[in-house]
Amino acid sequence: MSTVTTEAPTRAPRPRGGVAQSFGDSLVVAKRNLIRMTRIPEMILFGVIQPVMFVVLFTYVFGGSMAIGGTLDPDVYRDFLMAGIFAQTVTFATAGSAAGIADDMQKGIIDRFRSLPMARGAVLTGRTVADLAQTSVTLLVLAIVALLVGWRTGSAEPTNAGKVLAGFALLLLLGYAFTWIGALIGLSVRTPEAATSGGIIWLFPVTFISNAFVDSDQMTPWLRHIAEWNPFSATVQACRELFGNPGVSTSDAWPMQHPVWASIIWSVLIIVFFRTLAVRKYRSAAS
């Protein structure tokens, strides 16, 4: 005599909306990348050492030879310099983003993500969010080092804690925008080595043809115009104003007259443009 067994019906998972699924999947991928970073502490260590070296070298080697506001005072140049070093640090995280995504591509990890029922853009968003968290730690350490070597807010104009925090927020926004450029580079090359080179080589003209390390008013006219409309320069100038540091520009260029708004607009445009290209590249590679 046979018996008939019945199984209790299982309830199908409730489908999530597109935005909710993308947000949740992005957090999962971000957590995976953050755990990976903590297991490779030298990644964070080397990321901190480089900007610290820039602070020390520029402060003590070039401090007495750079004229800012008509003076060669090294203290003035140090306060002028720090916004540029902060901005350079967050943008150089682009190389790490590019190399990390290229490494995942080479090892087949991206292919595993593609086989899962997850939002396509979540893989890239999670990676950029994790890189932003690492950049925040680096920026915090760098700010402490800057204070140790004598950098002070409000050295030229009065400021307050809210403005200082707003300046660091603009730096992180710029850094997040540039990580999307790194994501696109990482998806476009074949090896992590190529991604590292491709992610950093273009940053040198972007950061040095700017107002980060020298007063752009002293440049030749054609180079000065490039520097004034450089998105990197807008963030540097905005931070100097918010930090109350020397370096007020006499330029009539709109980004130099309204650097905070220019910084926000540039960063948002970079995020929208390069995120669209990176997600499209990811989808085309997955098909």
Side-chain angles (χ1 to χ4, degrees):
M1 182 176 179
S2 60
T3 59
V4 179
T5 59
T6 59
E7 296 181 358
T10 58
R11 181 176 297 176
R14 181 178 299 177
R16 293 182 295 170
V19 175
Q21 180 179 3
S22 179
F23 180 76
D25 293 342
S26 297
L27 290 181
V28 171
V29 177
K31 181 180 178 181
R32 174 256 176 188
N33 284 285
L34 288 173
I35 293 174
R36 179 170 177 264
M37 290 176 184
T38 57
R39 292 176 179 174
I40 312 176
E42 55 268 25
M43 292 176 58
I44 301 176
L45 179 62
F46 292 149
V48 171
I49 290 176
Q50 178 180 328
V52 169
M53 290 178 60
F54 273 111
V55 170
V56 175
L57 289 175
F58 274 88
T59 299
Y60 294 107
V61 176
F62 301 108
S65 58
M66 296 289 187
I68 303 298
T71 178
L72 291 175
D73 187 347
D75 294 335
V76 173
Y77 180 70
R78 180 193 56 228
D79 292 338
F80 171 88
L81 171 71
M82 287 316 306
I85 293 291
F86 290 150
Q88 184 192 51
T89 300
V90 299
T91 54
F92 269 47
T94 303
S97 300
I101 291 177
D103 186 56
D104 287 345
M105 291 281 290
Q106 188 180 57
K107 292 180 178 178
I109 296 176
I110 296 295
D111 292 330
R112 297 178 187 177
F113 282 133
R114 290 171 182 162
S115 66
L116 299 175
M118 61 188 304
R120 292 293 176 90
V123 175
L124 303 180
T125 302
R127 174 73 207 197
T128 55
V129 169
D131 289 333
L132 179 63
Q134 182 180 355
T135 301
S136 301
V137 174
T138 303
L139 193 59
L140 175 61
V141 174
L142 186 59
I144 295 174
V145 173
L147 291 172
L148 292 176
V149 299
W151 171 67
R152 295 293 183 269
T153 60
S155 58
E157 297 289 339
T159 188
N160 54 56
K163 290 183 178 181
V164 173
L165 292 176
F168 283 108
L170 289 180
L171 289 167
L172 292 177
L173 180 62
L174 179 71
Y176 183 69
F178 273 55
T179 57
W180 280 107
I181 303 178
L184 180 60
I185 294 173
L187 291 170
S188 303
V189 299
R190 298 181 180 179
T191 64
E193 293 79 10
T196 301
S197 299
I200 200 170
I201 191 171
W202 61 274
L203 284 172
F204 284 100
V206 170
T207 55
F208 282 92
I209 305 178
S210 70
N211 60 357
F213 307 108
V214 297
D215 187 355
S216 59
D217 293 340
Q218 301 177 8
M219 297 180 180
T220 56
W222 67 271
L223 198 60
R224 184 178 68 248
H225 293 317
I226 296 175
E228 290 170 348
W229 286 90
N230 184 346
F232 183 82
S233 294
T235 299
V236 172
Q237 190 64 30
C239 288
R240 285 187 182 129
E241 290 192 2
L242 293 171
F243 293 159
N245 288 153
V248 177
S249 177
T250 59
S251 171
D252 293 331
W254 188 85
M256 296 296 98
Q257 292 296 318
H258 309 277
V260 173
W261 281 109
S263 175
I264 295 173
I265 292 172
W266 274 121
S267 295
V268 171
L269 288 177
I270 291 172
I271 292 172
V272 172
F273 182 75
F274 283 97
R275 187 185 189 280
T276 301
L277 292 181
V279 173
R280 185 177 300 174
K281 182 73 175 178
Y282 178 84
R283 289 176 175 173
S284 64
S287 60

